Amino acid sequence: MKEFARLDRLPPYVFTRVNKIKMDARHAGEDIIDLGMGNPDMPTPKHIVDKLVEAARKGHNHRYSASMGITKLRLAISKWYKRRFDVDIDPDTEAIVTIGAKEGISHLVLVTIRPGDVVFAPDPTYPIHPFSAIIAGGDVRRIPLGPEGDFFEDLMAATKQTWPRPKILIISFPHNPTTEVVDMAFFEKVVDYAKEHDILVIHDLAYADLVFDGYKAPSFLQVPGAKDVGVEFFSLSKSYNMPGWRVGFCVGNPQIVGALRRIKSYLDYGIFQPIQIAGIIALNGPQECVKKIVETYRARRDTLIDGLNRAGWPIKRPKATMFVWAKIPEQYIKMGSLGFSEMLIREAKVAVSPGLGFGEYGDDYVRFALIENNMRINQAIRGIRKIL
């Protein structure tokens, strides 16, 4: 009872320390502006909520559902991919509904690697990408990602130096936390690389819709041959303000989708059916709500970037996601992201995410989540300006 082997391989959660300082300050009556966790603050669009309520009133929807997702939702997923990316998805063999993207990625990695297998993941990156492999008993090789380096050069160098050969490459663009974006040429290189080295690709497309300034995020599956080597995940959490609903899906290679379907048949009975029905409405219904959500994040991005630049903290304007990835000002960089984040809470009354929580290569950065309104963001800027 004293030893739990899988937990022994998981490091202490970096964000816990910052969260404790934040909560202690709030319990002491301080007004802390929380720009830390990427937890959307806006409500789910009314037409989606109304459908949930309607479906929840029908008793037959209260029974066990299907672990792979109900047929109509998988059809909606296929149609959405065709409309968005002109990619054909077979709803029966190439699509599966997941309890959010996080659950799907975790269980897919669990079913596709053996203990000791190597998984490649960027650093910094969303924690479940590398730690899904750790939980499954695999080993992770981290590939630096950021404006200073060349991801593909580092990827090729890691491939030559790694034994046993890597089994999976997990990527996500637009990227959390760095906000890096890519074009179709990037994904073409990924597909060629995966075929040459016999590597399975998992692409997390959670921020497909949160794009600005004319940029459009491509799908990995738009590349000819992408289905031969991998799958793509999407989540309704960000595009439709549905984070707590836990609705996502995986599409692509039928063998990989089939593996996920098989393990999920042992693990769960699927999402509550009224939520799946509401998900159909989200994907098939009017998309003006998505445009409003995107515009809100764009306005918040501009408020934060403009304000920090005026305060003497120069930061580039990201083209995508609901985050701002900010290099720590030079005079504070020796503190590291954890120490700097703690100082921001104590002295500026602003909570952010330390870059170290996303990987060793993130320690010179902090991540702002655009989850407060413009008035609160301006209040945060005033607090930060005082310490700068």
Side-chain angles (χ1 to χ4, degrees):
M1 290 296 293
K2 293 182 180 179
E3 295 182 6
F4 300 95
R6 295 194 190 280
L7 291 182
D8 288 344
R9 296 192 66 203
L10 296 176
Y13 201 50
V14 171
F15 304 116
T16 302
R17 186 165 148 189
V18 174
N19 287 337
K20 185 179 185 305
I21 296 171
K22 176 184 70 179
M23 295 311 298
D24 288 347
R26 283 182 167 172
H27 290 154
E30 296 185 27
D31 179 20
I32 305 296
I33 300 168
D34 192 354
L35 302 176
M37 182 179 177
N39 192 2
D41 61 310
M42 295 173 277
T44 304
K46 184 178 181 300
H47 68 284
I48 301 173
V49 177
D50 288 345
K51 192 63 179 181
L52 169 71
V53 173
E54 176 190 320
R57 294 188 187 281
K58 298 177 180 178
H60 62 82
N61 285 330
H62 296 186
R63 306 178 70 186
Y64 288 129
S65 187
S67 61
M68 67 181 295
I70 60 176
T71 302
K72 288 185 178 180
L73 179 52
R74 286 183 282 110
L75 283 168
I77 291 165
S78 299
K79 292 176 181 177
W80 184 85
Y81 253 86
K82 186 65 176 175
R83 288 196 308 270
R84 287 293 308 277
F85 304 114
D86 196 26
V87 171
D88 293 312
I89 298 294
D90 185 319
D92 294 322
T93 62
E94 297 180 338
I96 182 171
V97 179
T98 59
I99 308 172
K102 194 173 184 179
E103 174 271 323
I105 291 171
S106 302
H107 285 146
L108 179 56
V109 174
L110 181 65
V111 79
T112 50
I113 69 169
R114 296 183 175 128
D117 283 347
V118 176
V119 173
F120 281 174
D123 185 333
T125 199
Y126 184 52
I128 199 58
H129 293 162
F131 286 112
S132 60
I134 298 296
I135 292 168
D139 294 320
V140 176
R141 180 74 186 267
R142 295 172 179 268
I143 314 299
L145 176 67
E148 294 86 5
D150 185 310
F151 180 76
F152 260 101
E153 282 188 12
D154 292 327
L155 179 63
M156 295 308 299
T159 305
K160 293 176 182 177
Q161 298 164 6
T162 299
W163 188 264
R165 292 301 185 194
K167 292 291 182 68
I168 299 176
L169 170 65
I170 302 178
I171 52 177
S172 178
F173 295 100
H175 189 253
N176 172 21
T178 68
T179 72
E180 292 281 324
V181 297
V182 298
D183 55 17
M184 281 288 289
F186 177 91
F187 285 139
E188 288 169 358
K189 290 169 70 175
V190 168
V191 171
D192 290 342
Y193 163 82
K195 288 186 174 184
E196 180 181 353
H197 298 280
D198 193 23
I199 292 176
L200 183 159
V201 177
I202 298 174
H203 180 236
D204 185 352
L205 189 59
Y207 298 93
D209 289 314
L210 303 191
V211 293
F212 318 113
D213 306 333
Y215 173 73
K216 292 184 178 180
S219 163
F220 163 73
L221 296 179
Q222 287 178 280
V223 177
K227 282 187 190 178
D228 296 337
V229 297
V231 293
E232 191 161 70
F233 281 86
F234 182 75
S235 166
L236 275 63
S237 296
K238 307 303 190 297
S239 300
Y240 301 95
N241 278 337
M242 298 171 66
W245 298 54
R246 310 313 302 133
V247 187
F249 54 82
C250 172
V251 294
N253 180 277
Q255 185 179 357
I256 300 171
V257 170
L260 181 56
R261 180 171 64 244
R262 186 171 178 186
I263 195 172
K264 278 177 64 65
S265 70
Y266 283 91
L267 294 170
D268 68 72
Y269 285 110
I271 306 165
F272 184 44
Q273 194 150 295
I275 292 179
Q276 295 192 59
I277 294 169
I280 297 168
I281 296 302
L283 294 173
N284 285 347
Q287 300 299 298
E288 286 77 10
C289 58
V290 178
K291 295 176 182 178
K292 290 180 181 178
I293 291 166
V294 173
E295 176 56 26
T296 299
Y297 284 127
R298 185 207 58 77
R300 292 176 178 183
R301 177 204 65 170
D302 291 348
T303 298
L304 180 65
I305 294 289
D306 292 345
L308 291 178
N309 282 335
R310 287 195 301 270
W313 188 352
I315 301 170
K316 290 184 178 179
R317 213 173 294 269
K319 292 183 179 180
T321 79
M322 55 183 288
F323 305 112
V324 168
W325 185 239
K327 191 165 188 179
I328 298 170
E330 195 62 37
Q331 64 267 38
Y332 296 108
I333 207 159
K334 289 184 179 180
M335 298 176 70
S337 60
L338 199 53
F340 183 67
S341 298
E342 291 172 358
M343 184 188 72
L344 284 184
I345 294 174
R346 292 193 176 103
E347 299 186 24
K349 311 305 177 188
V350 177
V352 298
S353 293
L356 182 63
F358 303 98
E360 295 290 335
Y361 290 104
D363 200 24
D364 288 345
Y365 292 80
V366 293
R367 190 195 73 179
F368 291 85
L370 303 171
I371 54 170
E372 291 275 10
N373 61 43
N374 285 342
M375 184 177 70
R376 294 282 283 173
I377 290 174
N378 278 320
Q379 183 180 338
I381 292 165
R382 288 193 293 272
I384 292 170
R385 185 186 292 125
K386 289 179 183 178
I387 65 169
L388 293 181

